[in-house]
Amino acid sequence: VDLSGLKEAGEIDIRNNENLKRVSLPQLTTTIFVPPTTNAMVVLGNPSLKKLCAPKLVNGGFVCIGNQTDQPLLDADLSGLVAGNLDDNPLCSNYDAPTVCG
């Protein structure tokens, strides 16, 4: 999925896509959670996902990227993340996905 022109978004929710291999968000700078949701960016349950590119995401709100069991092949670039948090939900990557940077 190539969303090259997307610069700002409310919630980004990419879940349960068995054949999804790449998500490209090269210009995305801001995601904002919209109540009643609690996350601004959710990428879960995509077992074939190999690449998530959002290197300019500076303000991410709460970010939940599926863990190593959920998305074992994932290499995610969130290297620009300054404002926001990786969610502490056990489904999220801050527990055991070594290839998520940010």
Side-chain angles (χ1 to χ4, degrees):
V1 175
D2 185 357
L3 299 170
S4 315
L6 187 64
K7 293 184 179 185
E8 294 184 358
E11 180 182 3
I12 293 178
D13 195 333
I14 302 169
R15 297 185 202 214
N16 304 320
N17 296 283
E18 291 185 18
N19 298 316
L20 184 64
K21 293 185 179 180
R22 180 178 171 88
V23 176
S24 182
L25 300 158
Q27 299 302 316
L28 183 67
T29 60
T30 304
T31 58
I32 303 167
F33 80 91
V34 180
T37 65
T38 56
N39 291 96
M41 184 173 200
V42 178
V43 182
L44 292 171
N46 306 292
S48 298
L49 187 61
K50 292 182 180 179
K51 196 76 172 168
L52 170 64
C53 301
K56 293 184 179 179
L57 180 62
V58 174
N59 183 7
F62 282 98
V63 177
C64 180
I65 306 297
N67 61 33
Q68 194 167 11
T69 303
D70 184 51
Q71 297 171 148
L73 307 172
L74 181 61
D75 179 12
D77 181 0
L78 302 175
S79 57
L81 191 62
V82 174
N85 300 303
L86 290 175
D87 196 334
D88 62 0
N89 183 316
L91 296 174
C92 302
S93 63
N94 53 327
Y95 282 87
D96 70 353
T99 57
V100 176
C101 60

